[in-house]
Amino acid sequence: MTGHGGAYRRDIDGLRAIAVLAVVFFHFGIPGFSGGFIGVDIFFVISGFLIGGILWREYCETGTIWLSHFYVRRFRRLLPAFFVMALCSTIVGWFLLLPFEFREFGKTLIASTVYLSNVLFYRSAGYFDTASHDKVLLHTWSLSVEEQFYIFLPIALLILARVRWLVIPVLLLVFAASLAGSVLITPSDQPATFYLFPFRAWELLAGVFLAIAGQTFRWQWRGWSLLSYLGLIAVLVAIFMIKPDDRFPGYIAILPVLGTVFLLGTGRGDTLVTRLLSSRIMVFFGLISYSLYLWHWPVFTLSTYLRGEYANIFESIAWMGLSVVLGTLSWALVEAPVRRAQRLPGWSILGGAVLSSGLLLAVGGYLYVRDGAIDRFGPTVRPHIEASADFLQDWSRCNVPDEGPLMGLEVCPIGPEGEPKVLVWGDSHVRAYREGLDLAAHEAGTPGIIIWRAGCAPLFDVRKIESYATPAEDLACSNANLQIKQSFGRMPSIESIFLIGRWTYYAHGNGVGLDAENTIQILPKEGALAVDRTQADLVADAIKSTVDTLFQSFDKIFVLRQAPEVPYYDSRKAAREAAHQNWPFAATPVTQQDVPLSAALERASVAEAPFRSLSQAGWLNWIDPWPSLCTDQSCQALVNDIGYYFDNNHVTNSAALALRQYFAPVFNTQGASTSAGG
């Protein structure tokens, strides 16, 4: 790594070692490194300092930027190790990843090859979401940000070549706008400020300005020794104290960026910090930092994918050690030899870049078009695989009215066009049954609408506190249910209502089996729960009150008996276990594809009691799909080798279509009205 004048600086390699080790320790769950992800911010400043310095020197000496030379150097530096890592990850993924996961891998392989993976990941799960842990190429988002910087900076310098006095003001304006955008937008759209280049540009430009100042004033990079210590303290505080949450980057990222600037600016000073950064072990990890960064994340994601989770910290250290070995081999056998091969002409580097990128794009396209190559797996795995992918529906007809009684709520028409006659209202189980509901409505020729919200019981005058939801989502549930209640009487075309929900979850207050950690409190709309009233009692009261309210507005009230929960089934996990049963280090299987009928009945009895009572009294129509899901002994996740369950409580599209016969009375608008009785 070079600084002013092109002389090698060991301290920069040491700083890169801190950055990469912080990231690796964070990802592998080493205690204490809660902010280790800020290593990427350190890398950004270093890249800005080094690349900005190279370009500014060339710009000042020649008045222009030789883009071909610049990009040949970048390809020589970055592409070979990336290509090997991506190709090896693809080969391992071929044997390990399930089709829907491999299909997504193909998409990310394409995006990372053209350096747009940060945009792709922005549009999916957030960096700190658990869902991100299965994305083998997630770490390439930072490489994409840097490559976008490598496009922006030289082109900006070329555009301003004839008015050089504007260069610094323009870059300062971009810096200020980027920093302000990061601070102001993080609270409302954290994934955007985390992933996207415009909100990260200020970090790279901080390094650029340091390099420009150093060349302008001919700094020797010694500075005040105090800044060296302050810089190290700032970086370490960031690594050990910053938390992985939705407040980052924003203003919090200023701390590691400023600390890195201080360390770069004083890296040649005679201080303890400089000696530490220049030590042999730190320089070693700095030299392999790029390759180690490339390899550590695939090792982590693929090993945890296979293992489920690490048994203890010693296993984490073992897999981390494998990352270091692979990173060292990548540096020694791929990265360093190509960088040293200066006799390779530029056209060969560019040609190799085109060919290798074309290969990766072709592989990614094949995996995406072929839906992850499902034919890689045998018949024992296929039903679970197909179930895991059988949960996507067409919601293109949905809209959010800007006026009327349902203003602001997402409303999804089903069945033929026309004024809706049936309202289907519920939680995520409505989503699961969507295809069956739509087809049943079409077959009956009856238009309807769906309103659903995940984890939100279709009950009035209660509120909820759910472990899987944010306070804002909990409040939105209560507000939406109140609005639905107030809409009755203002939708004259609707004749009947169909309630669908995970009733056992609300009555018991928790999930079961594989989702037992999910909890929900159902509370009165106002006030506290009485000491002598259980949650099941409160839910039963809310059911009776809700049905009474509905009875005032609708001719017919239908309630779907919740499909029996199969506690230890999850199609994705079951497919993984079946596919990996002969792999070394594979996790011990935990899924079960059936549940004893007696256990299913026991779990459901408390939640169903109020509905059964109201049904017997003639207040509602109770729709029971259990005969198609259970035998006399058990209830099955697979019916005739077809996956009927996506997870332990949501049915698949195949099940929803097969069970639509039970929905026919809902959409038969000529049937008898519900009548009060008892």
Side-chain angles (χ1 to χ4, degrees):
M1 301 305 136
T2 58
H4 173 65
Y8 173 67
R9 287 181 52 176
R10 293 172 61 89
D11 64 287
I12 294 181
D13 270 330
L15 187 53
R16 298 188 75 168
I18 290 179
V20 74
L21 291 176
V23 172
V24 171
F25 289 166
F26 169 72
H27 285 152
F28 279 91
I30 304 302
F33 289 82
S34 64
F37 55 89
I38 64 93
V40 172
D41 302 81
I42 297 174
F43 278 128
F44 285 161
V45 180
I46 294 174
S47 293
F49 178 71
L50 296 175
I51 301 304
I54 292 171
L55 291 173
W56 187 252
R57 184 179 303 111
E58 181 179 4
Y59 186 66
C60 291
E61 291 175 356
T62 67
T64 188
I65 302 293
W66 294 96
L67 291 180
S68 60
H69 295 170
F70 175 74
Y71 288 118
V72 165
R73 290 194 301 267
R74 291 298 86 208
F75 287 141
R76 184 192 297 272
R77 168 77 174 88
L78 301 175
L79 192 58
F82 167 79
F83 173 75
V84 173
M85 178 278 299
L87 189 61
C88 290
S89 297
T90 304
I91 293 171
V92 175
W94 176 270
F95 296 101
L96 194 64
L97 298 179
L98 299 179
F100 71 94
E101 297 158 335
F102 210 25
R103 179 181 184 273
E104 289 304 300
F105 175 87
K107 188 162 62 175
T108 61
L109 184 62
I110 293 171
S112 59
T113 301
V114 297
Y115 299 110
L116 289 174
S117 62
N118 61 324
V119 178
L120 176 65
F121 292 127
Y122 160 63
R123 300 176 64 180
S124 56
Y127 183 80
F128 302 121
D129 295 346
T130 55
S132 294
H133 290 175
D134 287 341
K135 293 179 170 60
V136 181
L137 298 178
L138 176 68
H139 62 319
T140 63
W141 76 269
S142 64
L143 306 183
S144 294
V145 169
E146 290 200 21
E147 287 296 335
Q148 289 157 22
F149 166 71
Y150 298 153
I151 294 172
F152 160 77
L153 184 61
I155 290 178
L157 292 177
L158 283 176
I159 291 175
L160 297 171
R162 295 186 178 181
V163 281
R164 291 180 58 177
W165 63 271
L166 274 178
V167 172
I168 299 302
V170 168
L171 292 181
L172 281 172
L173 181 62
V174 173
F175 173 89
S178 175
L179 176 57
S182 179
V183 172
L184 295 175
I185 296 177
T186 292
S188 59
D189 193 359
Q190 186 264 350
T193 57
F194 189 94
Y195 281 120
L196 300 183
F197 169 69
F199 304 105
R200 292 289 194 159
W202 71 273
E203 300 183 32
L204 292 138
L205 287 173
V208 172
F209 287 131
L210 180 64
I212 291 175
Q215 292 185 30
T216 301
F217 300 107
R218 307 193 65 79
W219 288 347
Q220 299 302 309
W221 308 114
R222 299 182 184 279
W224 298 333
S225 59
L226 176 62
L227 292 181
S228 179
Y229 294 104
L230 288 177
L232 183 62
I233 291 171
V235 167
L236 294 180
V237 167
I239 291 172
F240 296 125
M241 300 300 292
I242 291 177
K243 303 300 181 185
D245 56 32
D246 57 8
R247 296 177 298 168
F248 189 89
Y251 68 89
I252 299 175
I254 295 174
L255 181 64
V257 169
L258 190 61
T260 305
V261 168
F262 285 172
L263 289 171
L264 288 171
T266 59
R268 283 184 173 169
D270 185 18
T271 67
L272 179 62
V273 173
T274 300
R275 289 193 290 273
L276 172 66
L277 294 177
S278 303
S279 64
R280 182 172 298 180
I281 185 66
M282 296 298 285
V283 169
F284 167 75
F285 278 104
L287 289 173
I288 70 166
S289 60
Y290 175 60
S291 284
L292 177 55
Y293 180 80
L294 285 177
W295 281 97
H296 88 281
W297 184 251
V299 169
F300 171 76
T301 54
L302 293 172
S303 63
T304 52
Y305 181 90
L306 181 65
R307 297 284 296 144
E309 60 182 19
Y310 296 144
N312 48 52
I313 191 174
F314 300 106
E315 184 177 355
S316 297
I317 293 172
W319 289 107
M320 194 163 55
L322 176 61
S323 302
V324 174
V325 171
L326 293 175
T328 303
L329 291 174
S330 173
W331 172 74
L333 302 179
V334 180
E335 184 183 346
V338 175
R339 293 180 65 186
R340 287 196 298 263
Q342 296 299 320
R343 292 186 177 181
L344 283 175
W347 65 263
S348 66
I349 298 295
L350 291 174
V354 171
L355 289 175
S356 58
S357 297
L359 176 61
L360 294 180
L361 291 173
V363 171
Y366 171 83
L367 296 177
Y368 186 76
V369 171
R370 289 291 306 278
D371 288 327
I374 191 173
D375 51 356
R376 293 175 293 135
F377 298 98
T380 60
V381 187
R382 292 281 288 270
H384 304 294
I385 291 175
E386 290 168 353
S388 69
D390 193 20
F391 198 57
L392 299 176
Q393 301 95 6
D394 179 11
W395 298 94
S396 59
R397 294 177 66 189
C398 297
N399 64 89
V400 179
D402 53 13
E403 61 181 2
L406 298 178
M407 180 178 62
L409 299 180
E410 185 177 57
V411 177
C412 302
I414 56 173
E417 298 292 340
E419 289 294 316
K421 295 185 177 181
V422 177
L423 167 62
V424 183
W425 174 36
D427 57 18
S428 59
H429 282 214
V430 173
R431 181 192 193 280
Y433 282 108
R434 189 266 173 204
E435 298 298 288
L437 292 166
D438 184 46
L439 184 54
H442 274 290
E443 290 174 341
T446 302
I449 57 172
I450 283 175
I451 300 177
W452 72 279
R453 190 176 295 267
C456 186
L459 299 173
F460 296 133
D461 300 327
V462 291
R463 56 191 172 92
K464 61 124 175 170
I465 301 175
E466 189 176 13
S467 61
Y468 205 71
T470 65
E473 289 169 334
D474 289 336
L475 179 60
C477 169
S478 299
N479 291 340
N481 287 357
L482 176 61
Q483 184 175 348
I484 291 170
K485 181 180 181 180
Q486 294 172 342
S487 72
F488 299 153
R490 301 169 64 193
M491 297 184 292
S493 68
I494 294 180
E495 301 172 1
S496 58
I497 188 167
F498 188 18
L499 305 184
I500 301 177
R502 189 182 179 186
W503 311 114
T504 58
Y505 182 49
Y506 306 126
H508 287 276
N510 57 267
V512 64
L514 295 179
D515 80 326
E517 75 282 358
N518 293 337
T519 62
I520 187 169
Q521 288 181 276
I522 302 295
L523 303 168
K525 183 179 179 181
E526 297 177 352
L529 180 63
V531 176
D532 60 342
R533 302 289 288 167
T534 66
Q535 180 157 311
D537 292 334
L538 180 60
V539 170
D541 290 344
I543 289 171
K544 295 172 185 176
S545 175
T546 299
V547 170
D548 183 63
T549 301
L550 297 175
F551 195 80
Q552 311 304 317
S553 301
F554 298 102
D555 295 335
K556 293 184 289 186
I557 302 169
F558 297 89
V559 178
L560 181 65
R561 186 185 189 188
Q562 178 191 330
E565 293 170 323
V566 185
Y568 290 95
Y569 184 78
D570 180 280
S571 59
R572 295 156 297 184
K573 187 178 289 291
R576 289 182 185 182
E577 291 175 352
H580 305 154
Q581 58 183 339
N582 296 321
W583 276 69
F585 308 115
T588 302
V590 297
T591 60
Q592 301 171 16
Q593 63 187 50
D594 59 10
V595 59
L597 179 61
S598 58
L601 289 170
E602 181 180 357
R603 167 77 174 173
S605 60
V606 172
E608 293 179 353
F611 289 120
R612 291 185 178 278
S613 175
L614 290 168
S615 176
Q616 291 168 3
W619 287 80
L620 58 84
N621 296 281
W622 180 242
I623 296 179
D624 181 7
W626 283 41
S628 296
L629 299 169
C630 305
T631 65
D632 293 339
Q633 289 78 36
S634 65
C635 302
Q636 304 284 337
L638 301 183
V639 177
N640 297 324
D641 290 328
I642 298 175
Y644 268 35
Y645 281 75
F646 175 78
D647 55 24
N648 68 357
N649 67 97
H650 291 95
V651 299
T652 60
N653 293 333
S654 295
L657 291 170
L659 298 174
R660 73 182 187 279
Q661 58 180 310
Y662 295 100
F663 307 150
V666 176
F667 299 100
N668 179 12
T669 56
Q670 305 303 316
S673 301
T674 302
S675 58

